[in-house]
Amino acid sequence: MTAPWDGRPQEPERDGWHTVVCDGDRHEKWWDAEAHYWTTAQWGDLIWTPDEAVKELWEYWGPNLTPADLAARDAATIERCAV
């Protein structure tokens, strides 16, 4: 069994977009690594602390992959398949 989610994303030291489910709907939230909060935009119009995310029963789905992330993943897959 995994530990309960602590309200922080994977790699909380990195800024970035993540997918969460709250109130039954999928949402994109920005994690501000320096301030340690979630927001709906990179400039912090609405914010939630990790504790608030847990209290509001958010379900964390994971980071949103950038084109560079996808290219690195694909290159690694191609390399593994070639072996």
Side-chain angles (χ1 to χ4, degrees):
M1 181 176 201
T2 60
W5 184 51
D6 67 358
R8 299 178 319 135
Q10 287 178 263
E11 300 184 41
E13 67 281 356
R14 293 180 57 192
D15 288 335
W17 288 103
H18 298 262
T19 300
V20 298
V21 174
C22 44
D23 298 326
D25 294 321
R26 192 178 111 198
H27 296 275
E28 309 299 315
K29 302 288 189 195
W30 177 262
W31 172 254
D32 187 307
E34 185 177 334
H36 296 273
Y37 64 68
W38 295 99
T39 185
T40 56
Q42 290 177 332
W43 37 127
D45 56 340
L46 297 171
I47 62 170
W48 297 267
T49 66
D51 289 340
E52 289 170 327
V54 170
K55 186 172 131 186
E56 292 183 21
L57 303 176
W58 288 11
E59 180 183 338
Y60 179 71
W61 280 18
N64 295 1
L65 300 177
T66 66
D69 295 332
L70 294 170
R73 182 195 66 189
D74 293 348
T77 300
I78 290 167
E79 187 175 320
R80 276 194 314 276
C81 291
V83 173

